[in-house]
Amino acid sequence: MYRFSNTVIGFLNLFTLLASIPIIGAGLWMARSSATCENFLQTPLLVIGFVVLVVSLAGFIGACFHVACALWLYLVVMLFLIAALVGFTIFGFGVTSKGGGVEVPGRVYKEYRLQDYSPWLRKRIQDPRYWNTIRGCILGSKTCEKLASWTPLDYMQRDMFPIQSGCCKPPTACTYNVATTMMTQDPDCYRWNNAPNLLCYECDSCKAGVLEDIRGNWHKLSVLTVTMLVLFIGIYSIGCCAFRNTRRAETDYPYGENRMTKVRPRWDYHWWRWLHDRREQLY
């Protein structure tokens, strides 16, 4: 039964090794795609895919063929992965804790304000290079074209996605009749343009709608990261047992039966035997 952990680690890493292949394939496919939105995920997917591939290969070889150095490398990388996943989860909860929509009287949809979100997200979304990429993504997705056929009654009764609410229309409080043109209004009211390629894409409400969409996706992703974290900790614990079993198989310590297949023992065999004898003398 003492090699049960090696068998479990072997099967788990074989599964993750096979699972990394479609992840890498998806990243390569996105890298060749012309859609801007898809290109956002290509680098993380490729990095995750290759890391999982290398780690799974090391764990599989170490557990199934009793290669202690491969298992040691596997455990070290797994420890870094667990630490990185913990940091990523805490960071994700921290930057997405603020935000949310504001109810609009007489409307089903909500509106979003940029100042309600965390400073890190605001700084990120206000970077011109980042925002130009996002803006091109929204234009390419034709999100606002779906609202072109809406009637005034539709705006009263139908809901909108955060990006539609922020980018495809001016804020509901804006007024554009001659009597109120001199009144102080939300700055987004003056950024609105009826041109299909302009609309409210430069509005703070549009940036807030994008952040709300990211916030919702990040909360969904946090469920996966917590699940992966628990799974990795369990695999790491089993991997430690497998590493200990592999070392015992190579050095015959602490079992009485010699499991070495080589005439000459490993370089650390005599050291382990000396340590074992010293403990026997002390206790």
Side-chain angles (χ1 to χ4, degrees):
M1 292 295 293
Y2 83 96
R3 291 184 178 178
F4 176 73
S5 57
N6 294 63
T7 305
V8 173
I9 283 293
F11 277 111
L12 287 175
N13 283 282
L14 179 62
F15 173 77
T16 54
L17 179 67
L18 296 175
S20 67
I21 297 176
I23 295 176
I24 296 174
L28 294 175
W29 179 78
M30 288 182 178
R32 298 184 60 183
S33 176
S34 59
T36 307
C37 298
E38 294 172 347
N39 288 339
F40 281 113
L41 297 176
Q42 70 180 36
T43 301
L45 276 177
L46 288 174
V47 171
I48 292 173
F50 279 113
V51 169
V52 171
L53 177 66
V54 173
V55 172
S56 301
L57 185 61
F60 180 78
I61 293 175
C64 295
F65 299 97
H66 303 287
V67 182
C69 59
L71 268 179
W72 179 84
L73 176 63
Y74 169 77
L75 292 175
V76 170
V77 177
M78 279 289 291
L79 185 61
F80 278 107
L81 280 177
I82 292 173
L85 200 56
V86 170
F88 175 78
T89 303
I90 295 175
F91 174 77
F93 278 119
V95 299
T96 60
S97 59
K98 298 180 179 180
V102 178
E103 298 285 348
V104 181
R107 301 291 192 275
V108 179
Y109 59 81
K110 295 181 179 180
E111 292 186 339
Y112 305 89
R113 299 179 298 187
L114 188 60
Q115 62 268 25
D116 292 341
Y117 295 86
S118 68
W120 185 86
L121 285 177
R122 293 202 307 266
K123 182 179 179 181
R124 179 72 171 171
I125 202 70
Q126 288 175 330
D127 185 343
R129 293 175 299 178
Y130 185 79
W131 178 245
N132 288 337
T133 306
I134 292 289
R135 186 177 182 275
C137 176
I138 299 172
L139 281 170
S141 65
K142 300 180 180 180
T143 302
C144 292
E145 290 186 8
K146 301 173 184 178
L147 275 65
S149 59
W150 278 26
T151 64
L153 186 61
D154 290 328
Y155 282 92
M156 298 285 291
Q157 298 178 345
R158 300 179 65 176
D159 197 5
M160 298 183 187
F161 295 114
I163 293 178
Q164 290 177 327
S165 175
C167 304
C168 305
K169 66 173 187 59
T172 305
C174 295
T175 54
Y176 294 100
N177 55 59
V178 178
T180 58
T181 52
M182 301 302 294
M183 295 175 56
T184 302
Q185 301 190 82
D186 189 318
D188 284 347
C189 297
Y190 306 105
R191 298 187 181 110
W192 165 258
N193 193 302
N194 285 323
N197 62 332
L198 296 176
L199 299 180
C200 215
Y201 293 130
E202 296 303 324
C203 299
D204 287 345
S205 62
C206 186
K207 297 181 176 68
V210 172
L211 291 184
E212 181 62 24
D213 192 61
I214 293 174
R215 179 173 174 266
N217 291 333
W218 212 327
H219 283 175
K220 295 176 184 177
L221 182 63
S222 65
V223 177
L224 177 62
T225 57
V226 172
T227 303
M228 290 177 60
L229 183 60
V230 174
L231 179 63
F232 281 175
I233 292 175
I235 293 177
Y236 184 81
S237 301
I238 300 174
C240 290
C241 296
F243 176 70
R244 183 180 60 184
N245 293 340
T246 301
R247 292 298 301 268
R248 286 172 176 172
E250 291 181 346
T251 62
D252 91 335
Y253 171 78
Y255 298 96
E257 178 186 354
N258 191 342
R259 293 180 174 81
M260 292 185 300
T261 59
K262 297 181 180 180
V263 176
R264 295 183 180 181
R266 275 169 40 107
W267 61 272
D268 59 345
Y269 169 73
H270 296 289
W271 185 85
W272 279 105
R273 296 301 302 175
W274 176 84
L275 180 62
H276 176 63
D277 293 339
R278 292 290 297 172
R279 291 179 63 183
E280 290 292 334
Q281 293 176 6
L282 291 174
Y283 299 103

